[in-house]
Amino acid sequence: MKQNEELLTNETKCFILIPRGEKMYNIGKRIKIFRICKNMTQEQLASMLYIRRQTLSNYETGRRLPNIILIWEIADIFEISIDSLIGRKCPDISERKSLK
């Protein structure tokens, strides 16, 4: 693995290289990555979410943001946590105690 890349894994055992420095909170790109990892088309995912394919495309390109309920549903479909979907890295227990 190159020095400027990091490994992103999810519970589906899909391994994706994300360039270091890439904004991990870009939810649209992450939705697209997980959708492709699950071998789903935009049409298939949009149908499962009861939205139009164009709406999903707008999320993936960053033109629009999904609401929290939709984020929850997307994470459930991909069988990942919301934190994984949005790219949030949670501090471990010892770090959380030091934040108080």
Side-chain angles (χ1 to χ4, degrees):
M1 181 166 28
K2 295 179 185 175
Q3 198 169 24
N4 66 341
E5 296 176 330
E6 68 182 74
L7 191 62
L8 169 68
T9 64
N10 69 30
E11 291 82 357
T12 61
K13 305 299 182 206
C14 181
F15 299 93
I16 303 158
L17 293 175
I18 303 267
R20 238 183 248 292
E22 178 80 20
K23 299 294 184 192
M24 295 304 287
Y25 57 78
N26 187 330
I27 191 168
K29 284 184 181 180
R30 296 181 65 81
I31 290 170
K32 183 175 182 178
I33 288 169
F34 288 117
R35 176 180 59 77
I36 291 169
C37 187
K38 286 280 199 172
N39 296 313
M40 297 174 75
T41 65
Q42 283 184 338
E43 192 67 45
Q44 290 169 326
L45 181 55
S47 175
M48 294 173 80
L49 295 169
Y50 301 101
I51 61 174
R52 294 177 309 145
R53 187 208 55 81
Q54 186 60 43
T55 301
L56 178 60
S57 176
N58 286 337
Y59 296 152
E60 290 185 357
T61 58
R63 284 186 223 118
R64 292 183 62 192
L65 291 172
N67 66 42
I68 188 64
I69 301 301
L70 207 55
I71 290 170
W72 185 358
E73 291 173 359
I74 293 168
D76 283 351
I77 289 169
F78 293 150
E79 300 175 321
I80 60 173
S81 68
I82 291 174
D83 284 337
S84 294
L85 182 61
I86 64 174
R88 181 173 181 258
K89 295 181 182 176
C90 296
D92 65 23
I93 300 296
S94 61
E95 290 176 12
R96 287 183 201 165
K97 288 180 182 175
S98 68
L99 295 175
K100 292 182 179 180

